Amino acid sequence: MAETPVPQIAQRPKRADGRRNYDALLVAARTAFAEHGSDASLEDIAHEAGVAIGTLYRHFPTRATLVEAATRDGLEVLVSHARDVADRLAPLTALTDWMRHAVVHFSTFRGLVGILAQSMYDEGTPSHAMCAAMHTSGADLLRAAQRAGEVRADLTADELFGLLSGAAWVRETTRAGKDETERFIELVIEGIAVRTAGP
Amino acid sequence: MAETPVPQIAQRPKRADGRRNYDALLVAARTAFAEHGSDASLEDIAHEAGVAIGTLYRHFPTRATLVEAATRDGLEVLVSHARDVADRLAPLTALTDWMRHAVVHFSTFRGLVGILAQSMYDEGTPSHAMCAAMHTSGADLLRAAQRAGEVRADLTADELFGLLSGAAWVRETTRAGKDETERFIELVIEGIAVRTAGP
DNA sequence: TGACTAATCGAGGCAGCCTCAGGTTAACTG
DNA sequence: CAGTTAACCTGAGGCTGCCTCGATTAGTCA
């Protein structure tokens, strides 16, 4: 298993009021993003957190840094989940299970997939480090499934993430439920899995 | 083949100067959308067309109506292309070919897929009529391929359009080239096609 | 307690959206 | 051709949201 560095992008502020406001902003941001997508009004978020707009910008100089902070935990869970399933499940099952979780996380709120897809290859974006770690996680699972002969050998990790984010985008724009998402992933798996002997 | 109504959403203005400005706006809009995506500045478009902002709003009361007018031709081509391939090609080949064209059109500019995906099921959107016609076209091709036993019988048209728009979204956000797009569609087809006898 | 400086505040400049009251002009009519 | 009319055009102005920055406040530490 390849090394998955744990990125520390921005240490939290030190002063008590600073820490308090930072947390309040994060809570407000998560709510606002869930409701209005990644382009929710920053001034509303600041107001909701009981803080002036300048304070928001002090903690999060760009929208991207706020999104990153609001979604970091979820991505961390995703990365550790990859290690977990790799240990517990058969290769293709592990990959499938992880893909399910990835799609759900990517579509946490409208606009997230776009940001993550961007960050995956664009260093310099706040989310890049976490995305790179996640890329490694996915690639490891893919490689294992390929070694086991369960996934077509010519599929690259980038292609896998293309399929994954496409699925997440569809989920987020159609507000698909559990069943539709499950079905969609099944179709994708069908396309990348090596067929076992037919009837 | 089901009926494909040709919608006439908004007749063009009658007076000469009105028609002239309408056309100029459309040209400017296509350029701007291609360059900046569907959220290009409307004031820039008006200025580029040599017209005041109020004139733009007179012809296109909402951004959606402008997008619709700017992309209607392409959708019409897509619909007639479906009839064409249905006549000329074997069912699965026809479906595949049409999907290729659909993905390319859907990703004409950044933001289009989202609008089309929305319009497909939301009556009351300007693009809905064209989208519905296109839905019919795709469904016809799908049904033919299923009758020929070449595509899994349990795939619905809505699922097909989910896959299609997912592919288009990936193409538009990664600015994928011809090869990547081709590959992506191949993977999708692999997932929905009935496997011919294996080795 | 006083000094230091992190942290906060919010007015203000800017961009883009959209409306509407008033001015202009193409097209038609006698 | 002059008169009439409705279609058309204009752009200032109100609004929302982004982002900055100088003045102010308040934790922290010696």
Side-chain angles (χ1 to χ4, degrees):
Chain A
M1 176 135 341
E3 178 128 3
T4 53
V6 178
Q8 290 304 1
I9 290 154
Q11 60 276 41
R12 289 166 39 137
K14 290 181 303 196
R15 241 174 65 172
D17 54 347
R19 183 155 38 231
R20 207 166 38 238
N21 288 335
Y22 180 97
D23 290 341
L25 282 166
L26 230 39
V27 169
R30 292 211 180 92
T31 309
F33 288 154
E35 192 163 355
H36 302 111
S38 63
D39 50 359
S41 160
L42 296 183
E43 301 199 315
D44 283 357
I45 291 174
H47 182 262
E48 193 63 28
V51 139
I53 183 66
T55 300
L56 184 150
Y57 277 96
R58 172 172 185 82
H59 289 291
F60 307 102
T62 65
R63 182 179 294 271
T65 56
L66 181 54
V67 169
E68 192 278 332
T71 57
R72 195 184 326 164
D73 293 359
L75 282 181
E76 272 167 7
V77 168
L78 202 55
V79 168
S80 72
H81 186 73
R83 274 191 284 268
D84 183 40
V85 292
D87 293 344
R88 279 179 27 236
L89 303 174
L92 181 55
T93 316
L95 178 63
T96 306
D97 184 273
W98 186 76
M99 285 172 67
R100 245 191 300 270
H101 281 79
V103 167
V104 168
H105 177 75
F106 289 178
S107 53
T108 303
F109 52 78
R110 193 168 41 75
L112 216 212
V113 227
I115 293 169
L116 295 180
Q118 182 72 19
S119 301
M120 183 142 279
Y121 304 109
D122 183 351
E123 324 183 15
T125 27
S127 299
H128 178 71
M130 262 336 287
C131 280
M134 194 192 54
H135 190 280
T136 304
S137 298
D140 287 344
L141 290 172
L142 172 62
R143 200 161 26 240
Q146 286 173 321
R147 265 202 295 264
E150 295 178 330
V151 167
R152 43 194 294 175
D154 64 345
L155 187 74
T156 70
D158 288 347
E159 285 163 356
L160 178 70
F161 278 99
L163 292 165
L164 227 44
S165 37
W169 181 83
V170 171
R171 182 179 139 93
E172 94 175 12
T173 56
T174 64
R175 282 181 251 292
K178 200 156 174 285
D179 289 354
E180 288 99 316
T181 303
E182 184 56 37
R183 166 75 168 159
F184 202 99
I185 291 176
E186 181 206 317
L187 291 170
V188 169
I189 296 286
E190 199 73 15
I192 68 174
V194 168
R195 205 52 42 88
T196 55
Chain B
M1 172 130 354
E3 178 129 358
T4 54
V6 177
Q8 291 303 359
I9 289 152
Q11 61 276 40
R12 291 166 39 135
K14 290 180 304 196
R15 240 173 69 172
D17 53 348
R19 183 155 38 232
R20 207 164 38 236
N21 288 336
Y22 181 98
D23 290 341
L25 282 166
L26 230 39
V27 168
R30 290 210 180 92
T31 308
F33 288 154
E35 192 163 355
H36 301 111
S38 63
D39 49 359
S41 159
L42 296 183
E43 301 199 314
D44 283 357
I45 291 175
H47 182 260
E48 193 63 30
V51 141
I53 184 65
T55 301
L56 184 150
Y57 278 95
R58 173 173 185 82
H59 290 291
F60 307 101
T62 65
R63 183 180 292 272
T65 56
L66 181 54
V67 169
E68 192 278 332
T71 56
R72 194 182 327 162
D73 293 359
L75 282 181
E76 272 168 7
V77 168
L78 201 55
V79 168
S80 72
H81 185 73
R83 276 190 282 269
D84 183 40
V85 292
D87 293 344
R88 279 179 29 234
L89 304 174
L92 181 56
T93 315
L95 179 63
T96 306
D97 183 273
W98 187 76
M99 285 173 67
R100 246 192 300 270
H101 282 79
V103 168
V104 168
H105 177 74
F106 289 179
S107 53
T108 302
F109 51 77
R110 194 167 41 77
L112 216 211
V113 226
I115 293 169
L116 295 180
Q118 181 71 20
S119 301
M120 183 142 278
Y121 304 108
D122 182 352
E123 323 183 16
T125 28
S127 300
H128 177 72
M130 260 338 285
C131 280
M134 194 192 53
H135 190 281
T136 304
S137 298
D140 288 344
L141 289 173
L142 172 61
R143 200 162 24 243
Q146 286 173 322
R147 267 201 295 264
E150 296 179 330
V151 167
R152 43 193 295 175
D154 63 346
L155 188 74
T156 70
D158 287 348
E159 285 163 356
L160 178 72
F161 278 100
L163 292 165
L164 228 45
S165 37
W169 181 84
V170 171
R171 182 180 138 93
E172 97 176 9
T173 56
T174 64
R175 283 181 250 293
K178 200 155 173 290
D179 290 353
E180 288 99 317
T181 303
E182 184 55 40
R183 166 74 168 163
F184 202 99
I185 292 176
E186 181 206 318
L187 291 170
V188 169
I189 297 287
E190 199 73 15
I192 67 174
V194 168
R195 205 53 41 88
T196 56

